[in-house]
Amino acid sequence: MSFQINKLYYGDYGESKNGAADISTTQQNIAEWPLWEVFIRSKQGLDHKHAGSLHAADAAMAIENARDVYTRRMEGVSLWVVESKYIHASNPDEAGSLYDPANDKAYRHPTFYDLPEEVKYM
Amino acid sequence: MEQAFEQIFQDKIDREVRIEPKDWMPEKYRQTLIRQISQHAHSEIIGMLPEGNWITRAPSLRRKAILIAKVQDEAGHGLYLYSAAETLGISRDQMYDQLHTGKAKYSSIFNYPTLSWADMGVVGWLVDGAAIMNQVPLCRSSFGPYARAMVRVCKEESFHQRQGFEILYVLSKGTEAQRKMAQDAINRWWWPSLMMFGPKDDESPNSIQSMKWKIKRFSNDELRQKFVDVCAEQVKVLGFTLPDKDLKWNEERGHYDFGPINWDEFWQVVQGNGPCNKERLDARKKAWEEGAWVRDAALAYANKKAKQKQVAA
């Protein structure tokens, strides 16, 4: 079945109606505030977790903006912000070889071992 | 080579593996997403204007606090979405520029005026209700940052709809004048709300590409029907009516039948000829231009501080 569909989401009216189809992604705005990544500790005792990103002129403003954008409903008790340009990431194209060493070592998991039924609490 | 990548990409999509910003993706997928996400973000930002209109005139402190919180949420939703779009390689300023120059669109529903307090109730009940129905499937969008942003948005959106219905419920128990005001608001917003789901499926010229890529999941008509069915029941609780003489339960289909939608009006509004298109865009541009000195000052201050720190070190 190949029925034609034109699903329009909230404000997106497709390309036929000049919906910014011809976007270019060359960076040209030097006056833009830098981008920051936001990490939130949701509860004392838990890790900080990545929540999203935002723009701010400096770290103090990034913390305040992060409070307003990401913790309006008590989502956090602690915030970290770091300028996005300082994040280094592994390359997804190399994921295969990068994680290869762990691939064939099932014996690192407890379920690898056959124990007799009588053994409890181990 | 390109074809091999495309195959790997489609395999991931078919297995419901999310695509992340640094993963290889077809250029067309990237562009479609930038268009969709940025226009969604613009809708949240412009969507603040019709409701912001009533903050100073809210009938009680309780209503004012709620309305401020709601409008602040819309700003937050816009920001989540802009960030998601930025992971695809477009800058925030470029997106603003597309909005301000009219190159990018936003939801046509916000080009209608909010004439009375009851409109705040109807916008919550119908407009946010329609938005939620459209947006819930987006939480499973194939693009990770978009899906994650939408999970946040949907979580926050349900209070928006409930507070709107509550406004109307209180009005429905009020004076004759209040009931009339509420009914009038429902009459004005009902049809534009139905248009929010987009053109009929069989009139759609576009390809099935977005379904294949799992950016889109349900058809316009499916969601619209679901919305009509829900609202036709909810309006009874309010003791009001929906302005459609053809609205009738169809036992055979198990759905409500409803009258034809005026698609001419819809495209007119999309193309800039709605009652408030100019006003909305002007307000947005004014805020952007008059805020320029704040952005410049903050950046100059941050640079100065950074330089002082360097000298001290």
Side-chain angles (χ1 to χ4, degrees), chain A residues 23-114:
Chain A
I23 37 112
S24 80
T25 48
T26 48
Q27 301 292 328
Q28 60 193 10
N29 303 285
I30 359 138
E32 204 172 81
W33 288 348
L35 191 66
W36 300 74
E37 299 302 319
V38 178
F39 300 82
I40 301 176
R41 185 200 293 284
S42 58
K43 218 169 87 181
Q44 212 59 32
L46 296 182
D47 295 324
H48 284 78
K49 205 175 142 205
H50 185 244
S53 48
L54 49 76
H55 288 272
D58 58 26
M61 188 196 278
I63 295 263
E64 277 179 13
N65 287 0
R67 178 202 57 193
D68 291 342
V69 178
Y70 291 104
T71 65
R72 286 193 303 283
R73 288 173 177 78
M74 306 288 294
E75 285 94 338
V77 294
S78 163
L79 283 168
W80 287 351
V81 293
V82 57
E83 239 188 288
S84 309
K85 66 179 180 191
Y86 295 123
I87 303 252
H88 299 269
S90 60
N91 184 347
D93 297 338
E94 291 164 6
S97 55
L98 187 65
Y99 302 113
D100 179 65
N103 216 357
D104 56 355
K105 297 180 180 62
Y107 46 85
R108 283 176 172 165
H109 297 277
T111 45
F112 180 77
Y113 300 93
D114 293 322

Side-chain angles (χ1 to χ4, degrees), chain B residues 105-135:
Chain B
K105 303 291 180 203
Y106 53 86
S107 182
S108 64
I109 193 80
F110 301 120
N111 289 317
Y112 291 87
T114 43
L115 301 178
S116 74
W117 170 251
D119 285 34
M120 294 302 96
V122 177
V123 166
W125 176 41
L126 294 180
V127 175
D128 289 318
I132 291 171
M133 213 159 261
N134 255 320
Q135 288 172 355

Side-chain angles (χ1 to χ4, degrees), chain B residues 184-205:
Chain B
D184 169 67
I186 293 171
N187 292 351
R188 282 183 288 107
W189 287 92
W190 173 247
W191 290 107
S193 300
L194 288 191
M195 294 175 197
M196 283 177 71
F197 294 92
K200 285 165 72 83
D201 295 336
D202 53 4
E203 283 169 10
S204 299

Side-chain angles (χ1 to χ4, degrees), chain B residues 39-283:
Chain B
Q39 299 193 156
H40 190 161
H42 298 329
S43 303
E44 300 284 354
I45 298 302
I46 296 288
M48 291 193 283
L49 297 172
E51 289 179 299
N53 181 32
W54 279 93
I55 288 177
T56 54
R57 291 175 287 162
S60 69
L61 190 56
R62 177 175 184 268
R63 291 293 176 202
K64 190 194 289 260
I66 292 170
L67 194 55
I68 290 173
K70 180 174 190 288
V71 170
Q72 198 186 6
D73 271 357
E74 312 292 3
H77 298 173
L79 293 177
Y80 306 154
L81 290 162
Y82 281 132
S83 298
E86 277 172 276
T87 65
L88 291 159
I90 188 167
S91 76
R92 184 74 59 98
D93 282 1
Q94 278 176 298
M95 287 187 274
Y96 286 156
D97 186 60
Q98 289 178 347
L99 174 64
H100 298 158
T101 54
K103 202 164 144 193
K105 303 291 180 203
Y106 53 86
S107 182
S108 64
I109 193 80
F110 301 120
N111 289 317
Y112 291 87
T114 43
L115 301 178
S116 74
W117 170 251
D119 285 34
M120 294 302 96
V122 177
V123 166
W125 176 41
L126 294 180
V127 175
D128 289 318
I132 291 171
M133 213 159 261
N134 255 320
Q135 288 172 355
V136 167
L138 289 175
C139 297
R140 295 189 297 133
S141 163
S142 59
F143 186 58
Y146 194 21
R148 290 192 288 274
M150 289 314 300
V151 169
R152 273 173 190 285
V153 169
C154 288
K155 249 192 231 161
E156 299 180 353
E157 199 81 44
S158 83
F159 119 66
H160 297 183
Q161 196 187 10
R162 292 176 67 114
Q163 65 87 35
F165 195 84
E166 193 199 64
I167 289 174
L168 292 175
Y169 189 67
V170 169
L171 290 176
S172 77
K173 304 269 172 242
T175 64
E176 184 54 31
Q178 285 173 320
R179 279 198 298 277
K180 244 173 110 175
M181 177 171 74
Q183 181 64 61
D184 169 67
I186 293 171
N187 292 351
R188 282 183 288 107
W189 287 92
W190 173 247
W191 290 107
S193 300
L194 288 191
M195 294 175 197
M196 283 177 71
F197 294 92
K200 285 165 72 83
D201 295 336
D202 53 4
E203 283 169 10
S204 299
N206 274 21
S207 73
I208 54 167
Q209 188 69 69
S210 283
M211 283 290 239
K212 193 171 142 208
W213 282 340
K214 296 190 182 166
I215 301 171
K216 312 170 172 185
R217 300 247 181 193
F218 294 98
S219 81
N220 299 349
D221 284 337
E222 280 174 302
L223 290 174
R224 182 165 23 238
Q225 181 67 62
K226 205 170 144 197
F227 182 70
V228 171
D229 291 347
V230 168
C231 292
E233 291 299 320
Q234 288 172 349
V235 78
K236 292 180 191 166
V237 179
L238 297 171
F240 296 130
T241 55
L242 298 174
D244 181 357
K245 60 177 171 39
D246 297 322
L247 187 75
K248 213 174 73 206
W249 177 252
N250 183 326
E251 192 66 55
E252 206 174 309
R253 290 201 310 127
H255 289 293
Y256 276 90
D257 290 336
F258 55 98
I261 292 169
N262 182 350
W263 291 112
D264 278 348
E265 176 185 325
F266 173 74
W267 288 118
Q268 281 295 328
V269 178
V270 170
Q271 280 156 23
N273 304 319
C276 298
N277 291 59
K278 190 172 176 315
E279 186 187 329
R280 299 286 183 244
L281 216 49
D282 285 350

Side-chain angles (χ1 to χ4, degrees), chain B residues 7-35:
Chain B
Q7 190 54 48
I8 295 170
F9 174 82
Q10 189 61 52
D11 283 349
K12 272 167 126 176
I13 300 264
D14 292 343
R15 283 184 290 125
E16 299 280 336
V17 174
R18 295 282 178 272
I19 306 300
E20 294 297 337
K22 294 238 158 74
D23 296 346
W24 186 91
M25 61 185 83
E27 196 46 35
K28 184 85 181 133
Y29 177 84
R30 179 189 302 277
Q31 293 201 352
T32 302
L33 276 169
I34 290 179
R35 196 195 71 226

